[in-house]
Amino acid sequence: MTEVEVWWGRIGQVREEFAAELDPFERQRHQAYVRPEDKARFLLGCTIVRRVLASRLALPPASISLDRTCPNCGKPHGKVRADGVELSVTHSGELVGVAVSERPVGLDVEKVDPAIDIDGLARLSLAEAEIAQLVTAADKPRAFLRQWTRKEAIVKATGAGLREDLRTITGVPEGMQVIELPVDPGYSAALAVVSAEPPAIQTKSAQVLI
Ligand SMILES: CC(C)(COP(=O)(O)OP(=O)(O)OC[C@H]1O[C@@H](n2cnc3c(N)ncnc32)[C@H](O)[C@@H]1OP(=O)(O)O)[C@@H](O)C(=O)NCCC(=O)NCCS
Ligand SMILES: [Zn+2]
């Protein structure tokens, strides 16, 4: 059975002292964020990853070795990787999510934002048939974000990210499972996992790590 833990935190849970657990790359990225909410989202994502792995290995969070190397440019802004486990991090609005599994995973959350240019984004990310469906949707922003988070979760599971043309991803790729996750009202979230069978998902609150 494929098991996936999905940890959810809120930026209100962040404390400045968590930054002491960051490695030098993370510390540099944390310091470079200008907006306090971007800083908080990034720091909480790092903290959840480090503390979940630390508790599994009975090691201090700061001693966990993470690799964020981008395959494109070598900078430490790529998918987060650790020995012996698969991870995916996502943040939007108040929420920060981390998926942990033995199989490759992709997690994406998006806050419903009435100001987003849905038609523009739909043209860039949806296939013709999907755009046609969207036109008739009762709640267009939500319907769009359901599609978008599913596609993002898929490309985050493979590690391709937005280098992949989202318009070509229709349905569920072979050998993958894609699940919409219940989150706060006003948000949409999806999980993709490379697995032949539907995963057992355990939802966890980051509160217990803090
Ligand atoms: C990854 C990506 C899909 C994230 O989209 P988003 O909705 O803006 O942001 P999210 O909060 O959901 O996800 C961010 C997390 O994705 C992870 N991530 C980064 N690149 C990733 C990739 N290629 N595959 C999977 N996950 C990735 C990181 O862990 C990041 O968290 P961090 O801030 O703690 O480092 C998108 O930013 C992307 O594709 N980026 C890479 C595009 C690329 O290769 N550009 C060239 C860079 S040189
Ligand atoms: Zn890069």
Side-chain angles (χ1 to χ4, degrees), residues 1-49:
M1 170 68 85
T2 303
E3 289 175 12
V4 184
E5 282 180 6
V6 179
W7 291 83
W8 290 109
R10 289 163 196 285
I11 55 173
Q13 292 166 327
V14 169
R15 291 204 295 270
E16 205 41 50
E17 72 232 38
F18 298 166
E21 293 168 9
L22 301 180
D23 70 22
F25 295 121
E26 291 167 331
R27 196 156 298 156
Q28 202 173 25
R29 283 189 53 198
H30 181 237
Q31 282 165 0
Y33 283 111
V34 176
R35 297 192 304 168
E37 59 274 27
D38 288 331
K39 258 191 208 295
R41 281 188 277 263
F42 178 69
L43 179 54
L44 187 55
C46 295
T47 303
I48 296 172
V49 168

mmCIF file of all heavy atoms in Angstrom, residues 1-49:
data_model
loop_
_atom_site.group_PDB
_atom_site.id
_atom_site.type_symbol
_atom_site.label_atom_id
_atom_site.label_comp_id
_atom_site.label_asym_id
_atom_site.label_seq_id
_atom_site.Cartn_x
_atom_site.Cartn_y
_atom_site.Cartn_z
ATOM 1 N N MET A 1 0.855 -1.210 0.000
ATOM 2 C CA MET A 1 0.000 0.000 0.000
ATOM 3 C C MET A 1 0.884 1.250 0.000
ATOM 4 O O MET A 1 1.799 1.367 0.807
ATOM 5 C CB MET A 1 -0.899 -0.045 1.248
ATOM 6 C CG MET A 1 -1.677 1.213 1.538
ATOM 7 S SD MET A 1 -2.969 1.587 0.351
ATOM 8 C CE MET A 1 -4.340 0.621 0.976
ATOM 9 N N THR A 2 0.601 2.161 -0.932
ATOM 10 C CA THR A 2 1.336 3.432 -0.977
ATOM 11 C C THR A 2 0.785 4.371 0.093
ATOM 12 O O THR A 2 -0.408 4.629 0.118
ATOM 13 C CB THR A 2 1.173 4.093 -2.365
ATOM 14 O OG1 THR A 2 1.627 3.178 -3.344
ATOM 15 C CG2 THR A 2 1.943 5.398 -2.453
ATOM 16 N N GLU A 3 1.663 4.831 0.952
ATOM 17 C CA GLU A 3 1.218 5.746 2.011
ATOM 18 C C GLU A 3 1.780 7.143 1.782
ATOM 19 O O GLU A 3 2.944 7.279 1.387
ATOM 20 C CB GLU A 3 1.667 5.217 3.376
ATOM 21 C CG GLU A 3 0.878 3.981 3.745
ATOM 22 C CD GLU A 3 1.338 3.319 5.021
ATOM 23 O OE1 GLU A 3 2.117 3.935 5.760
ATOM 24 O OE2 GLU A 3 0.894 2.186 5.251
ATOM 25 N N VAL A 4 0.935 8.131 2.002
ATOM 26 C CA VAL A 4 1.372 9.523 1.881
ATOM 27 C C VAL A 4 0.910 10.288 3.118
ATOM 28 O O VAL A 4 -0.265 10.232 3.478
ATOM 29 C CB VAL A 4 0.776 10.219 0.622
ATOM 30 C CG1 VAL A 4 1.333 11.626 0.474
ATOM 31 C CG2 VAL A 4 1.029 9.405 -0.641
ATOM 32 N N GLU A 5 1.851 10.963 3.756
ATOM 33 C CA GLU A 5 1.475 11.896 4.829
ATOM 34 C C GLU A 5 1.387 13.283 4.216
ATOM 35 O O GLU A 5 2.296 13.701 3.488
ATOM 36 C CB GLU A 5 2.558 11.941 5.917
ATOM 37 C CG GLU A 5 2.533 10.775 6.846
ATOM 38 C CD GLU A 5 3.620 10.862 7.921
ATOM 39 O OE1 GLU A 5 4.330 11.893 8.029
ATOM 40 O OE2 GLU A 5 3.768 9.875 8.647
ATOM 41 N N VAL A 6 0.299 13.988 4.503
ATOM 42 C CA VAL A 6 0.178 15.376 4.040
ATOM 43 C C VAL A 6 0.072 16.270 5.275
ATOM 44 O O VAL A 6 -0.894 16.185 6.037
ATOM 45 C CB VAL A 6 -1.035 15.576 3.116
ATOM 46 C CG1 VAL A 6 -1.129 17.036 2.683
ATOM 47 C CG2 VAL A 6 -0.950 14.663 1.893
ATOM 48 N N TRP A 7 1.096 17.082 5.463
ATOM 49 C CA TRP A 7 1.177 17.979 6.623
ATOM 50 C C TRP A 7 0.718 19.375 6.221
ATOM 51 O O TRP A 7 1.172 19.903 5.197
ATOM 52 C CB TRP A 7 2.630 18.053 7.116
ATOM 53 C CG TRP A 7 3.106 16.779 7.735
ATOM 54 C CD1 TRP A 7 3.592 15.677 7.083
ATOM 55 C CD2 TRP A 7 3.136 16.465 9.124
ATOM 56 N NE1 TRP A 7 3.915 14.700 7.991
ATOM 57 C CE2 TRP A 7 3.654 15.155 9.254
ATOM 58 C CE3 TRP A 7 2.786 17.172 10.287
ATOM 59 C CZ2 TRP A 7 3.818 14.534 10.494
ATOM 60 C CZ3 TRP A 7 2.958 16.551 11.523
ATOM 61 C CH2 TRP A 7 3.470 15.256 11.620
ATOM 62 N N TRP A 8 -0.155 19.971 7.020
ATOM 63 C CA TRP A 8 -0.611 21.338 6.730
ATOM 64 C C TRP A 8 -0.283 22.267 7.893
ATOM 65 O O TRP A 8 -0.553 21.944 9.052
ATOM 66 C CB TRP A 8 -2.128 21.373 6.515
ATOM 67 C CG TRP A 8 -2.568 20.709 5.246
ATOM 68 C CD1 TRP A 8 -3.247 19.530 5.133
ATOM 69 C CD2 TRP A 8 -2.366 21.174 3.903
ATOM 70 N NE1 TRP A 8 -3.478 19.236 3.806
ATOM 71 C CE2 TRP A 8 -2.954 20.221 3.033
ATOM 72 C CE3 TRP A 8 -1.744 22.294 3.341
ATOM 73 C CZ2 TRP A 8 -2.943 20.351 1.643
ATOM 74 C CZ3 TRP A 8 -1.723 22.431 1.951
ATOM 75 C CH2 TRP A 8 -2.313 21.467 1.129
ATOM 76 N N GLY A 9 0.310 23.394 7.538
ATOM 77 C CA GLY A 9 0.564 24.438 8.533
ATOM 78 C C GLY A 9 -0.022 25.754 8.061
ATOM 79 O O GLY A 9 -0.454 25.880 6.908
ATOM 80 N N ARG A 10 -0.053 26.714 8.965
ATOM 81 C CA ARG A 10 -0.542 28.073 8.656
ATOM 82 C C ARG A 10 0.540 29.070 9.027
ATOM 83 O O ARG A 10 1.220 28.866 10.033
ATOM 84 C CB ARG A 10 -1.746 28.411 9.542
ATOM 85 C CG ARG A 10 -2.909 27.686 9.203
ATOM 86 C CD ARG A 10 -3.977 27.682 10.276
ATOM 87 N NE ARG A 10 -4.830 26.608 9.865
ATOM 88 C CZ ARG A 10 -5.669 26.711 8.844
ATOM 89 N NH1 ARG A 10 -5.856 27.853 8.246
ATOM 90 N NH2 ARG A 10 -6.347 25.688 8.439
ATOM 91 N N ILE A 11 0.629 30.125 8.245
ATOM 92 C CA ILE A 11 1.766 31.031 8.467
ATOM 93 C C ILE A 11 1.752 31.671 9.852
ATOM 94 O O ILE A 11 2.792 32.053 10.350
ATOM 95 C CB ILE A 11 1.947 32.084 7.332
ATOM 96 C CG1 ILE A 11 0.688 32.891 7.105
ATOM 97 C CG2 ILE A 11 2.406 31.422 6.059
ATOM 98 C CD1 ILE A 11 0.917 34.036 6.113
ATOM 99 N N GLY A 12 0.581 31.711 10.495
ATOM 100 C CA GLY A 12 0.520 32.235 11.866
ATOM 101 C C GLY A 12 1.310 31.385 12.859
ATOM 102 O O GLY A 12 1.592 31.826 13.968
ATOM 103 N N GLN A 13 1.671 30.157 12.459
ATOM 104 C CA GLN A 13 2.412 29.276 13.369
ATOM 105 C C GLN A 13 3.923 29.545 13.358
ATOM 106 O O GLN A 13 4.663 28.966 14.152
ATOM 107 C CB GLN A 13 2.182 27.806 12.969
ATOM 108 C CG GLN A 13 0.760 27.342 13.200
ATOM 109 C CD GLN A 13 0.457 26.029 12.501
ATOM 110 O OE1 GLN A 13 0.977 25.733 11.427
ATOM 111 N NE2 GLN A 13 -0.399 25.229 13.105
ATOM 112 N N VAL A 14 4.357 30.404 12.435
ATOM 113 C CA VAL A 14 5.798 30.620 12.273
ATOM 114 C C VAL A 14 6.372 31.426 13.436
ATOM 115 O O VAL A 14 5.766 32.391 13.887
ATOM 116 C CB VAL A 14 6.077 31.382 10.955
ATOM 117 C CG1 VAL A 14 7.509 31.851 10.873
ATOM 118 C CG2 VAL A 14 5.775 30.481 9.780
ATOM 119 N N ARG A 15 7.545 30.980 13.878
ATOM 120 C CA ARG A 15 8.299 31.782 14.852
ATOM 121 C C ARG A 15 9.711 32.001 14.306
ATOM 122 O O ARG A 15 10.280 31.105 13.666
ATOM 123 C CB ARG A 15 8.343 31.066 16.209
ATOM 124 C CG ARG A 15 6.948 31.048 16.864
ATOM 125 C CD ARG A 15 7.031 30.912 18.365
ATOM 126 N NE ARG A 15 7.588 29.622 18.753
ATOM 127 C CZ ARG A 15 6.864 28.523 18.964
ATOM 128 N NH1 ARG A 15 5.547 28.554 18.842
ATOM 129 N NH2 ARG A 15 7.444 27.392 19.306
ATOM 130 N N GLU A 16 10.202 33.192 14.520
ATOM 131 C CA GLU A 16 11.492 33.591 13.955
ATOM 132 C C GLU A 16 12.602 32.585 14.313
ATOM 133 O O GLU A 16 13.505 32.344 13.530
ATOM 134 C CB GLU A 16 11.837 35.013 14.441
ATOM 135 C CG GLU A 16 12.768 35.788 13.559
ATOM 136 C CD GLU A 16 12.519 35.643 12.047
ATOM 137 O OE1 GLU A 16 11.365 35.796 11.579
ATOM 138 O OE2 GLU A 16 13.508 35.343 11.347
ATOM 139 N N GLU A 17 12.480 31.989 15.510
ATOM 140 C CA GLU A 17 13.557 31.078 15.954
ATOM 141 C C GLU A 17 13.678 29.828 15.064
ATOM 142 O O GLU A 17 14.706 29.165 15.069
ATOM 143 C CB GLU A 17 13.359 30.682 17.419
ATOM 144 C CG GLU A 17 12.198 29.735 17.656
ATOM 145 C CD GLU A 17 11.233 30.228 18.736
ATOM 146 O OE1 GLU A 17 10.977 31.453 18.809
ATOM 147 O OE2 GLU A 17 10.733 29.388 19.496
ATOM 148 N N PHE A 18 12.642 29.512 14.271
ATOM 149 C CA PHE A 18 12.737 28.354 13.364
ATOM 150 C C PHE A 18 13.908 28.546 12.385
ATOM 151 O O PHE A 18 14.447 27.575 11.862
ATOM 152 C CB PHE A 18 11.464 28.151 12.543
ATOM 153 C CG PHE A 18 10.210 27.863 13.332
ATOM 154 C CD1 PHE A 18 8.970 27.946 12.711
ATOM 155 C CD2 PHE A 18 10.257 27.500 14.668
ATOM 156 C CE1 PHE A 18 7.797 27.685 13.407
ATOM 157 C CE2 PHE A 18 9.087 27.243 15.377
ATOM 158 C CZ PHE A 18 7.859 27.337 14.751
ATOM 159 N N ALA A 19 14.246 29.809 12.108
ATOM 160 C CA ALA A 19 15.297 30.091 11.127
ATOM 161 C C ALA A 19 16.646 29.507 11.553
ATOM 162 O O ALA A 19 17.515 29.261 10.716
ATOM 163 C CB ALA A 19 15.421 31.596 10.897
ATOM 164 N N ALA A 20 16.804 29.238 12.855
ATOM 165 C CA ALA A 20 18.068 28.663 13.341
ATOM 166 C C ALA A 20 18.281 27.248 12.802
ATOM 167 O O ALA A 20 19.408 26.743 12.806
ATOM 168 C CB ALA A 20 18.072 28.649 14.867
ATOM 169 N N GLU A 21 17.210 26.596 12.331
ATOM 170 C CA GLU A 21 17.326 25.217 11.832
ATOM 171 C C GLU A 21 17.672 25.160 10.343
ATOM 172 O O GLU A 21 17.865 24.085 9.783
ATOM 173 C CB GLU A 21 16.000 24.465 12.075
ATOM 174 C CG GLU A 21 15.724 24.265 13.555
ATOM 175 C CD GLU A 21 14.301 23.795 13.858
ATOM 176 O OE1 GLU A 21 13.545 23.447 12.916
ATOM 177 O OE2 GLU A 21 13.945 23.784 15.042
ATOM 178 N N LEU A 22 17.697 26.318 9.676
ATOM 179 C CA LEU A 22 17.916 26.329 8.224
ATOM 180 C C LEU A 22 19.372 26.065 7.866
ATOM 181 O O LEU A 22 20.274 26.398 8.645
ATOM 182 C CB LEU A 22 17.499 27.687 7.641
ATOM 183 C CG LEU A 22 16.051 28.115 7.864
ATOM 184 C CD1 LEU A 22 15.806 29.486 7.214
ATOM 185 C CD2 LEU A 22 15.075 27.077 7.297
ATOM 186 N N ASP A 23 19.601 25.505 6.672
ATOM 187 C CA ASP A 23 20.979 25.381 6.188
ATOM 188 C C ASP A 23 21.354 26.701 5.492
ATOM 189 O O ASP A 23 20.503 27.575 5.311
ATOM 190 C CB ASP A 23 21.143 24.126 5.303
ATOM 191 C CG ASP A 23 20.447 24.225 3.954
ATOM 192 O OD1 ASP A 23 20.175 25.356 3.484
ATOM 193 O OD2 ASP A 23 20.159 23.171 3.361
ATOM 194 N N PRO A 24 22.613 26.873 5.120
ATOM 195 C CA PRO A 24 23.027 28.176 4.560
ATOM 196 C C PRO A 24 22.241 28.582 3.300
ATOM 197 O O PRO A 24 21.932 29.763 3.122
ATOM 198 C CB PRO A 24 24.505 27.964 4.233
ATOM 199 C CG PRO A 24 24.946 26.891 5.181
ATOM 200 C CD PRO A 24 23.766 25.984 5.364
ATOM 201 N N PHE A 25 21.887 27.620 2.446
ATOM 202 C CA PHE A 25 21.120 27.964 1.232
ATOM 203 C C PHE A 25 19.734 28.478 1.599
ATOM 204 O O PHE A 25 19.237 29.458 1.052
ATOM 205 C CB PHE A 25 20.947 26.738 0.320
ATOM 206 C CG PHE A 25 22.228 26.216 -0.244
ATOM 207 C CD1 PHE A 25 22.620 24.909 0.004
ATOM 208 C CD2 PHE A 25 23.029 27.021 -1.041
ATOM 209 C CE1 PHE A 25 23.794 24.406 -0.525
ATOM 210 C CE2 PHE A 25 24.207 26.534 -1.584
ATOM 211 C CZ PHE A 25 24.597 25.227 -1.310
ATOM 212 N N GLU A 26 19.120 27.750 2.539
ATOM 213 C CA GLU A 26 17.777 28.155 2.971
ATOM 214 C C GLU A 26 17.818 29.512 3.662
ATOM 215 O O GLU A 26 16.924 30.334 3.481
ATOM 216 C CB GLU A 26 17.204 27.096 3.924
ATOM 217 C CG GLU A 26 16.892 25.781 3.232
ATOM 218 C CD GLU A 26 16.619 24.656 4.218
ATOM 219 O OE1 GLU A 26 17.173 24.679 5.341
ATOM 220 O OE2 GLU A 26 15.876 23.728 3.854
ATOM 221 N N ARG A 27 18.855 29.706 4.459
ATOM 222 C CA ARG A 27 18.967 30.975 5.189
ATOM 223 C C ARG A 27 19.071 32.138 4.210
ATOM 224 O O ARG A 27 18.430 33.163 4.374
ATOM 225 C CB ARG A 27 20.217 30.926 6.087
ATOM 226 C CG ARG A 27 20.222 31.981 7.152
ATOM 227 C CD ARG A 27 21.083 31.563 8.309
ATOM 228 N NE ARG A 27 20.584 30.347 8.947
ATOM 229 C CZ ARG A 27 21.302 29.513 9.653
ATOM 230 N NH1 ARG A 27 22.588 29.737 9.828
ATOM 231 N NH2 ARG A 27 20.762 28.449 10.202
ATOM 232 N N GLN A 28 19.836 31.922 3.153
ATOM 233 C CA GLN A 28 20.000 32.974 2.151
ATOM 234 C C GLN A 28 18.666 33.261 1.444
ATOM 235 O O GLN A 28 18.300 34.419 1.253
ATOM 236 C CB GLN A 28 21.048 32.526 1.131
ATOM 237 C CG GLN A 28 21.675 33.671 0.406
ATOM 238 C CD GLN A 28 22.821 33.198 -0.468
ATOM 239 O OE1 GLN A 28 22.864 32.037 -0.894
ATOM 240 N NE2 GLN A 28 23.746 34.085 -0.744
ATOM 241 N N ARG A 29 17.941 32.194 1.087
ATOM 242 C CA ARG A 29 16.639 32.397 0.425
ATOM 243 C C ARG A 29 15.662 33.077 1.381
ATOM 244 O O ARG A 29 14.916 33.966 0.989
ATOM 245 C CB ARG A 29 16.077 31.066 -0.071
ATOM 246 C CG ARG A 29 16.753 30.588 -1.347
ATOM 247 C CD ARG A 29 16.050 29.383 -1.943
ATOM 248 N NE ARG A 29 14.629 29.602 -2.127
ATOM 249 C CZ ARG A 29 13.737 28.637 -2.307
ATOM 250 N NH1 ARG A 29 14.127 27.370 -2.321
ATOM 251 N NH2 ARG A 29 12.480 28.914 -2.478
ATOM 252 N N HIS A 30 15.682 32.645 2.630
ATOM 253 C CA HIS A 30 14.779 33.231 3.626
ATOM 254 C C HIS A 30 15.043 34.730 3.759
ATOM 255 O O HIS A 30 14.124 35.551 3.755
ATOM 256 C CB HIS A 30 14.983 32.507 4.963
ATOM 257 C CG HIS A 30 14.108 33.004 6.060
ATOM 258 N ND1 HIS A 30 14.603 33.475 7.250
ATOM 259 C CD2 HIS A 30 12.766 33.121 6.148
ATOM 260 C CE1 HIS A 30 13.602 33.855 8.023
ATOM 261 N NE2 HIS A 30 12.476 33.645 7.385
ATOM 262 N N GLN A 31 16.316 35.087 3.841
ATOM 263 C CA GLN A 31 16.662 36.503 4.007
ATOM 264 C C GLN A 31 16.316 37.320 2.768
ATOM 265 O O GLN A 31 15.994 38.499 2.857
ATOM 266 C CB GLN A 31 18.152 36.650 4.332
ATOM 267 C CG GLN A 31 18.430 36.320 5.794
ATOM 268 C CD GLN A 31 19.907 36.101 6.098
ATOM 269 O OE1 GLN A 31 20.762 36.196 5.203
ATOM 270 N NE2 GLN A 31 20.214 35.776 7.342
ATOM 271 N N ALA A 32 16.361 36.684 1.600
ATOM 272 C CA ALA A 32 16.141 37.425 0.350
ATOM 273 C C ALA A 32 14.667 37.776 0.113
ATOM 274 O O ALA A 32 14.372 38.688 -0.650
ATOM 275 C CB ALA A 32 16.686 36.612 -0.827
ATOM 276 N N TYR A 33 13.731 37.043 0.748
ATOM 277 C CA TYR A 33 12.314 37.390 0.557
ATOM 278 C C TYR A 33 12.042 38.744 1.168
ATOM 279 O O TYR A 33 12.489 39.037 2.280
ATOM 280 C CB TYR A 33 11.398 36.342 1.202
ATOM 281 C CG TYR A 33 11.279 35.067 0.395
ATOM 282 C CD1 TYR A 33 11.832 33.876 0.850
ATOM 283 C CD2 TYR A 33 10.608 35.069 -0.825
ATOM 284 C CE1 TYR A 33 11.725 32.707 0.114
ATOM 285 C CE2 TYR A 33 10.491 33.901 -1.569
ATOM 286 C CZ TYR A 33 11.054 32.726 -1.095
ATOM 287 O OH TYR A 33 10.950 31.582 -1.834
ATOM 288 N N VAL A 34 11.319 39.581 0.440
ATOM 289 C CA VAL A 34 11.039 40.941 0.910
ATOM 290 C C VAL A 34 9.740 40.970 1.708
ATOM 291 O O VAL A 34 9.675 41.539 2.789
ATOM 292 C CB VAL A 34 10.973 41.910 -0.295
ATOM 293 C CG1 VAL A 34 10.588 43.320 0.156
ATOM 294 C CG2 VAL A 34 12.312 41.928 -1.032
ATOM 295 N N ARG A 35 8.698 40.330 1.171
ATOM 296 C CA ARG A 35 7.389 40.396 1.839
ATOM 297 C C ARG A 35 7.370 39.427 3.021
ATOM 298 O O ARG A 35 7.754 38.251 2.873
ATOM 299 C CB ARG A 35 6.278 40.041 0.856
ATOM 300 C CG ARG A 35 6.208 41.047 -0.307
ATOM 301 C CD ARG A 35 4.958 40.876 -1.121
ATOM 302 N NE ARG A 35 4.826 39.505 -1.614
ATOM 303 C CZ ARG A 35 3.730 39.022 -2.152
ATOM 304 N NH1 ARG A 35 2.650 39.779 -2.251
ATOM 305 N NH2 ARG A 35 3.692 37.779 -2.588
ATOM 306 N N PRO A 36 6.927 39.904 4.200
ATOM 307 C CA PRO A 36 6.919 39.044 5.390
ATOM 308 C C PRO A 36 6.152 37.738 5.168
ATOM 309 O O PRO A 36 6.548 36.693 5.673
ATOM 310 C CB PRO A 36 6.222 39.896 6.453
ATOM 311 C CG PRO A 36 6.218 41.283 5.944
ATOM 312 C CD PRO A 36 6.411 41.257 4.467
ATOM 313 N N GLU A 37 5.055 37.777 4.381
ATOM 314 C CA GLU A 37 4.284 36.539 4.186
ATOM 315 C C GLU A 37 5.048 35.532 3.324
ATOM 316 O O GLU A 37 4.927 34.329 3.527
ATOM 317 C CB GLU A 37 2.869 36.826 3.648
ATOM 318 C CG GLU A 37 2.775 37.550 2.343
ATOM 319 C CD GLU A 37 2.816 39.074 2.464
ATOM 320 O OE1 GLU A 37 3.404 39.605 3.430
ATOM 321 O OE2 GLU A 37 2.275 39.734 1.549
ATOM 322 N N ASP A 38 5.862 36.013 2.382
ATOM 323 C CA ASP A 38 6.698 35.088 1.596
ATOM 324 C C ASP A 38 7.759 34.445 2.489
ATOM 325 O O ASP A 38 8.043 33.251 2.386
ATOM 326 C CB ASP A 38 7.395 35.828 0.447
ATOM 327 C CG ASP A 38 6.426 36.215 -0.657
ATOM 328 O OD1 ASP A 38 5.422 35.498 -0.841
ATOM 329 O OD2 ASP A 38 6.667 37.232 -1.323
ATOM 330 N N LYS A 39 8.359 35.272 3.355
ATOM 331 C CA LYS A 39 9.350 34.768 4.318
ATOM 332 C C LYS A 39 8.719 33.686 5.193
ATOM 333 O O LYS A 39 9.301 32.624 5.408
ATOM 334 C CB LYS A 39 9.763 35.907 5.259
ATOM 335 C CG LYS A 39 11.085 36.546 4.950
ATOM 336 C CD LYS A 39 11.481 37.458 6.131
ATOM 337 C CE LYS A 39 12.349 38.591 5.686
ATOM 338 N NZ LYS A 39 13.660 38.209 5.167
ATOM 339 N N ALA A 40 7.519 33.993 5.705
ATOM 340 C CA ALA A 40 6.856 33.063 6.630
ATOM 341 C C ALA A 40 6.498 31.755 5.922
ATOM 342 O O ALA A 40 6.706 30.668 6.466
ATOM 343 C CB ALA A 40 5.607 33.719 7.206
ATOM 344 N N ARG A 41 5.974 31.854 4.705
ATOM 345 C CA ARG A 41 5.600 30.636 3.959
ATOM 346 C C ARG A 41 6.830 29.762 3.730
ATOM 347 O O ARG A 41 6.797 28.551 3.925
ATOM 348 C CB ARG A 41 4.968 31.008 2.602
ATOM 349 C CG ARG A 41 3.518 31.443 2.702
ATOM 350 C CD ARG A 41 2.900 31.595 1.331
ATOM 351 N NE ARG A 41 3.203 32.884 0.750
ATOM 352 C CZ ARG A 41 2.386 33.935 0.803
ATOM 353 N NH1 ARG A 41 1.210 33.846 1.369
ATOM 354 N NH2 ARG A 41 2.742 35.089 0.264
ATOM 355 N N PHE A 42 7.921 30.397 3.280
ATOM 356 C CA PHE A 42 9.137 29.622 2.994
ATOM 357 C C PHE A 42 9.678 28.970 4.261
ATOM 358 O O PHE A 42 9.977 27.770 4.287
ATOM 359 C CB PHE A 42 10.198 30.530 2.353
ATOM 360 C CG PHE A 42 11.489 29.815 2.086
ATOM 361 C CD1 PHE A 42 11.562 28.831 1.108
ATOM 362 C CD2 PHE A 42 12.617 30.100 2.833
ATOM 363 C CE1 PHE A 42 12.750 28.140 0.873
ATOM 364 C CE2 PHE A 42 13.812 29.417 2.602
ATOM 365 C CZ PHE A 42 13.873 28.436 1.614
ATOM 366 N N LEU A 43 9.766 29.773 5.342
ATOM 367 C CA LEU A 43 10.326 29.258 6.596
ATOM 368 C C LEU A 43 9.480 28.113 7.147
ATOM 369 O O LEU A 43 10.020 27.098 7.605
ATOM 370 C CB LEU A 43 10.440 30.403 7.616
ATOM 371 C CG LEU A 43 10.987 30.047 8.990
ATOM 372 C CD1 LEU A 43 12.342 29.332 8.890
ATOM 373 C CD2 LEU A 43 11.130 31.307 9.857
ATOM 374 N N LEU A 44 8.165 28.242 7.062
ATOM 375 C CA LEU A 44 7.317 27.177 7.602
ATOM 376 C C LEU A 44 7.466 25.896 6.777
ATOM 377 O O LEU A 44 7.508 24.793 7.328
ATOM 378 C CB LEU A 44 5.858 27.637 7.657
ATOM 379 C CG LEU A 44 4.892 26.679 8.350
ATOM 380 C CD1 LEU A 44 5.336 26.341 9.769
ATOM 381 C CD2 LEU A 44 3.477 27.273 8.380
ATOM 382 N N GLY A 45 7.572 26.028 5.458
ATOM 383 C CA GLY A 45 7.782 24.842 4.607
ATOM 384 C C GLY A 45 9.073 24.121 4.988
ATOM 385 O O GLY A 45 9.094 22.902 5.158
ATOM 386 N N CYS A 46 10.144 24.890 5.151
ATOM 387 C CA CYS A 46 11.435 24.299 5.555
ATOM 388 C C CYS A 46 11.295 23.620 6.912
ATOM 389 O O CYS A 46 11.812 22.514 7.127
ATOM 390 C CB CYS A 46 12.513 25.374 5.654
ATOM 391 S SG CYS A 46 12.922 26.173 4.097
ATOM 392 N N THR A 47 10.615 24.286 7.838
ATOM 393 C CA THR A 47 10.500 23.774 9.212
ATOM 394 C C THR A 47 9.710 22.466 9.232
ATOM 395 O O THR A 47 10.101 21.513 9.920
ATOM 396 C CB THR A 47 9.823 24.837 10.110
ATOM 397 O OG1 THR A 47 10.588 26.035 10.033
ATOM 398 C CG2 THR A 47 9.741 24.372 11.551
ATOM 399 N N ILE A 48 8.607 22.425 8.481
ATOM 400 C CA ILE A 48 7.815 21.187 8.464
ATOM 401 C C ILE A 48 8.664 20.039 7.905
ATOM 402 O O ILE A 48 8.744 18.964 8.495
ATOM 403 C CB ILE A 48 6.505 21.364 7.661
ATOM 404 C CG1 ILE A 48 5.595 22.392 8.340
ATOM 405 C CG2 ILE A 48 5.776 20.026 7.520
ATOM 406 C CD1 ILE A 48 4.350 22.779 7.527
ATOM 407 N N VAL A 49 9.322 20.274 6.774
ATOM 408 C CA VAL A 49 10.161 19.223 6.174
ATOM 409 C C VAL A 49 11.205 18.747 7.180
ATOM 410 O O VAL A 49 11.347 17.550 7.454
ATOM 411 C CB VAL A 49 10.870 19.735 4.888
ATOM 412 C CG1 VAL A 49 11.945 18.765 4.434
ATOM 413 C CG2 VAL A 49 9.846 19.968 3.773
#
